[in-house]
Amino acid sequence: MRRMDVVVVGAGPAGLCFARALAGTGLQVGLVEAQPRQALAEAAFDGREIALTHASRQSLEQLGLWQRLPEAEIAELRDARVMNGGSPFALTFASSQIDGQPLGWLVPNHLIRRAAWQAVQGQDGLELFDGRKVQAVRADSQGHVVRLDDGSELHARLLVCADSRFSGTRRMLGIGAQMRDFGKSMLVCRMQVERDHHHTAWEWFGYGRTMALLPLNEGQASAVITLPPRQIEELLAMDEIAFGDAVSGFFEHRLGRMQPVATPQAYPLVGVYAQRFVGERSALIGDAAVGMHPVTAHGFNLGLASAQRLAQGIAEQQRRGADIAAAGMLGSYQRGHRLAARPLYEATNAVASLYTDDRRPARLLRAAGLRVAQGVAPFRQLIAAHLTQRVA
């Protein structure tokens, strides 16, 4: 049995960033991942563009990831518009509302994963157990015994779950989760657009579907379309020309002709909120703790914040010579992450429900809400500050 201080299950962005945040602590960290290391090093393009806040950019800089991102692939998010159905009215958030700085930045998900992998290479005290899955978890007085599918075992003083919103390790720990299946799928695809998007993001709540447009460099944009799974399948079955025509029509040709420059990808929409973020000598981070609906584009930012918060607590315990899995530290982590996550999770679900309800009362309510919000400048500034997470 290999004895480790911390065993992290899942080498996605949250798991890798958490492991990186423990660099220099002197802790022995084991990272368990089902994928082989080559797949981690050369993470495949998955169509998802991540909207990074100012706080997340600062975290990535501290972890040494931001510097590893290709500059040409970092797109500024300068303005944002929220639109409702066929109404010409839109709630707008301009970069000028925050001292002329961008609202945020858009970076391809697979490049963040590659940068995170590169950042942990050669890290002292870190060992990767790739191509292996967790088969069982058994608690003892000093932590957890983690049995892998090759028969090997790891002993962890602290076990951290970072293995997606459908975390099998979370379940092995006996921690349940509230799951909300929205009954929809999300299609994402990079498109070449005919007209200038001026680096403005759109969130468009159309009747029967929800759409977003994320501005990228070189006249490209990521189209995000939420529809029932069968309609998504019909879109995926189209050839490039027909698909481009369909997406252009969805966006009412506001950016002219739109044509795909990558293979479209689809993902089911399921929100997840764990009943607890910690257990006896164990903790959840990333999507294993909270899996967000993408309408507010805060999933990665929230997951990164959870990894940073837990790592800081562990590092402080280590500096003091205290127990890195102490109940008090874990409880403090849980309270902090709940305070950050619960309001955002519930508000996101409420927005998703209201803006996908096509009944007349809901249409009137959201139209009125957008107009009121647009007319109250301090309210818009407050929302902009929350969305960008500016750091002093």
Side-chain angles (χ1 to χ4, degrees):
M1 184 186 300
R2 297 289 304 281
R3 293 193 172 271
M4 318 290 294
D5 294 309
V6 182
V7 170
V8 187
V9 182
L16 287 169
C17 287
F18 172 73
R20 177 60 182 168
L22 293 178
T25 60
L27 294 170
Q28 296 297 308
V29 180
L31 189 56
V32 180
E33 170 58 44
Q35 295 184 87
R37 64 184 61 215
Q38 184 175 356
L40 298 173
E42 302 172 5
F45 177 78
D46 61 9
R48 289 179 287 189
E49 308 291 337
I50 304 300
L52 296 171
T53 63
H54 288 253
S56 290
R57 172 173 174 167
Q58 184 181 74
S59 293
L60 294 181
E61 288 174 344
Q62 292 171 348
L63 295 172
L65 272 69
W66 183 264
Q67 302 87 320
R68 300 174 187 273
L69 296 171
E71 188 174 347
E73 292 284 358
I74 301 173
E76 287 190 353
L77 176 55
R78 297 173 189 163
D79 300 287
R81 306 181 72 199
V82 181
M83 298 177 285
N84 179 43
S87 171
F89 177 80
L91 174 61
T92 60
F93 300 96
S95 57
S96 59
Q97 292 172 267
I98 52 170
D99 304 325
Q101 293 295 310
L103 294 175
W105 297 267
L106 292 157
V107 180
N109 182 59
H110 74 291
L111 295 182
I112 294 176
R113 296 174 72 100
R114 290 183 186 182
W117 168 258
Q118 292 166 8
V120 300
Q121 296 310 296
Q123 180 173 317
D124 289 343
L126 178 63
E127 186 171 354
L128 175 68
F129 301 88
D130 63 313
R132 282 174 263 192
K133 298 179 181 179
V134 175
Q135 276 200 333
V137 172
R138 183 179 75 254
D140 64 17
S141 61
Q142 297 180 322
H144 290 86
V145 177
V146 181
R147 180 158 53 86
L148 306 182
D149 59 358
D150 63 353
S152 62
E153 291 185 334
L154 305 175
H155 187 275
R157 293 167 61 199
L158 175 64
L159 176 61
V160 177
C161 305
D163 51 339
S164 87
R165 66 188 63 198
F166 306 111
S167 170
T169 316
R170 179 184 63 210
R171 189 173 183 82
M172 292 177 193
L173 289 171
I175 300 177
Q178 172 192 33
M179 293 196 178
R180 179 167 182 182
D181 189 338
F182 291 90
K184 303 285 180 67
S185 291
M186 176 183 71
L187 181 146
V188 293
C189 186
R190 275 198 174 201
M191 311 289 290
Q192 191 73 39
V193 299
E194 190 174 20
R195 298 175 188 159
D196 191 352
H197 49 52
H198 302 289
H199 285 268
T200 299
W202 299 355
E203 188 73 53
W204 194 346
F205 298 100
Y207 303 138
R209 58 179 171 267
T210 301
M211 299 173 295
L213 185 127
L214 307 177
L216 305 175
N217 297 330
E218 304 297 330
Q220 295 183 2
S222 176
V224 184
I225 302 170
T226 301
L227 286 167
R230 181 171 295 180
Q231 294 181 44
I232 293 291
E233 291 171 6
E234 291 172 356
L235 285 170
L236 291 174
M238 294 179 179
D239 61 36
E240 286 190 7
I241 295 176
F243 179 85
D245 289 343
V247 174
S248 300
F250 286 159
F251 286 93
E252 296 183 357
H253 301 278
R254 295 194 185 195
L255 289 177
R257 185 168 179 76
M258 303 171 68
Q259 279 296 303
V261 293
T263 303
Q265 308 285 334
Y267 301 92
L269 283 184
V270 180
V272 176
Y273 195 94
Q275 293 172 355
R276 292 180 285 122
F277 296 162
V278 300
E280 187 72 23
R281 294 187 167 274
S282 59
L284 314 179
I285 62 172
D287 282 1
V290 183
M292 295 284 291
H293 187 291
V295 68
T296 54
H298 258 317
F300 175 83
N301 299 303
L302 191 63
L304 178 60
S306 71
Q308 289 279 81
R309 182 177 286 110
L310 181 60
Q312 288 167 3
I314 294 169
E316 179 60 26
Q317 291 290 99
Q318 178 72 352
R319 280 192 295 269
R320 293 171 48 230
D323 183 1
I324 63 168
M329 184 279 292
L330 293 176
S332 178
Y333 160 70
Q334 176 168 255
R335 288 189 296 274
H337 195 42
R338 274 183 172 167
L339 185 63
R342 191 81 207 192
L344 185 59
Y345 179 80
E346 297 297 350
T348 297
N349 288 347
V351 167
S353 297
L354 174 62
Y355 283 87
T356 54
D357 186 344
D358 289 333
R359 292 174 296 180
R360 182 171 174 77
R363 293 187 186 189
L364 295 174
L365 179 60
R366 64 200 192 206
L370 290 181
R371 288 186 178 276
V372 169
Q374 179 66 20
V376 182
F379 181 70
R380 284 188 291 120
Q381 291 167 357
L382 181 65
I383 294 177
H386 174 71
L387 292 176
T388 59
Q389 294 182 332
R390 288 296 302 275
V391 180

